[in-house]
Amino acid sequence: MVETKSPAIRARRKGLIFMQRTRAKLVLGLVALSLALAGCGGSQPEAATPTPTKTPTAVATDTPEPTATPTFTPAPPTATPAATPTATPAGTPTPAPTATPVAFGQPAKDDVNARKGPGTSYGKVGQIYTEDSLGILGRIADSSWVKVCCVGGQEAWVAREFLEVSGNLAAVPVVEAPPLDAANRADNVPTSAGGATAGRVAIGNVEPAVDTPPPGKYLGLCALRVRRPPREVPPSRPPIGGNINPLTGQATDPGLLNRRIVAVRYGNEPAIDAYYGLADAELVFEELLDSMNTTRLTAFFLAGDAPQLGPLRSYRSTTIQLAQMYDAAMVSSGAVGPNQVFAYAAGLDDLDWRCDDPAFFLNPKADAKDYQNRVVSSIPRVRAYLESRGFDRPATVRSFAFDETAPAGRAGRSVVVPYINRGYYEVEWRYDPATGRYQRLQGTSRRPFVDANNGEAVSAANVVVMTVKHDLTDLVEDSVGSLSVRTYLTGQEGPAVI
């Protein structure tokens, strides 16, 4: 694990890179982004135009003070470290409790609201999950509400009925409830790294595309019934030649490079019961989104084939930027209207389950109401659909630059990515000397992230944590009012941990 200033990060062959957003004390308003690369990385692919999303930043264990590196979207991976020192999270500070807790609470279910005071009239601070273990610092007289540490980096109140309590609750002091004023009635608004309330970037009012270009091939915006010509590939990005996979640096069948890169949008939430296909991806990004409370994954496939992919969920603006960079066909279960327009404006071939259903099938293990697990696909099915529509052209991404020598720095054996919404969404990448790879562990219980296609834990040969700027926007992404976040994957610099 190293931290570097180098404007281009070099990587050794054979690896999965995860670039994860985490939180750090940077004045830029940081964001932790996850990138998983099943090979290695080097020079930057062509940059995309910035679009919306938000995040925190994480730092590694034995780490020196972070120094600036480019935050272009796919940061190239680096060699698997030979040594096995440790990494410690040094990101967003969480307030230390005023006293050592004598009781602890474990949520009995996921998505329990934590509030600014003891009652539903108080605003929400965030949500807690069964993975969380929270110290109980105070309670009201009848113990129906308890004060815990910490949710989103701060103390909060949770209804006792939703917690399994261990320890001596009777010994926890009774504390006074905060005033039920306007500030405490309002839900939390994410703050910038400097502590000030983040301003919302206005992107929500997007006019649907209504241009009438000449007939041309284009996937996407089916609900708006709009067509546009395919995006022209820049001359600086000729089709890949030879037999080296541009995403991994590994030799492969040249015929596998004569096809389109596919970007697959995965969900990531407690309701999902199995993940399919991540082990076959060459590159995976983990993105912070939705008021900085959750993450999702975007996986890239070129030579890799997966017999099942998913569960597939809706994309966000960061996904659009990534798909642009790789000239990838984007596979998802849709998006809100403005993001569909952004994808359209970016010239992306957007395979949406609602519009292009031959490329998808429904998960037989999911019931009709289980929308988080419902939509799946496979790489052979996606490619057959692309070919039938005339979209499966050769990959045109600019290759990473590869190097067998790791950049100078300290070796490390783990890195923790402390996203703002801790608990379920906390991620650790831990080095395994036996395999020479990093395993992805999630939640406070550090459960392995398993690919249900083969039953094996997801691992990476290279892990990159990039600190990038995020802005909260006015675009509402879902039915509960979560706000889109604009992530600046290009044009900014910040720390990176490899």
Side-chain angles (χ1 to χ4, degrees), residues 264-267 272 274-278 308-312 375-377:
V264 179
R265 181 58 159 175
Y266 284 80
I272 292 177
Y275 295 84
Y276 300 91
L278 286 169
Q308 189 158 313
L309 300 169
L312 305 177
V375 183
V376 290
S377 187

Side-chain angles (χ1 to χ4, degrees), residues 13 240-254 256-257 302-303 397 399-400 402:
R13 303 189 175 188
I240 300 300
N243 69 338
I244 299 299
N245 188 323
L247 304 182
T248 67
Q250 302 298 298
T252 189
D253 179 351
L256 298 179
L257 303 182
L302 178 54
V397 65
S399 177
F400 286 131
F402 298 96

Side-chain angles (χ1 to χ4, degrees), residues 148-159:
V148 300
C149 182
C150 289
V151 179
Q154 61 188 292
E155 296 171 359
W157 289 81
V158 179

Side-chain angles (χ1 to χ4, degrees), residues 285-321:
F285 287 81
E286 184 163 5
E287 310 157 30
L288 188 62
L289 46 89
D290 293 3
S291 299
M292 296 192 291
N293 281 327
T294 61
T295 68
R296 286 188 185 173
L297 310 170
T298 302
F300 289 83
F301 296 81
L302 178 54
D305 280 316
Q308 189 158 313
L309 300 169
L312 305 177
R313 296 301 307 280
S314 56
Y315 60 84
R316 301 293 190 265
S317 66
T318 307
T319 324
I320 296 171
Q321 294 182 66

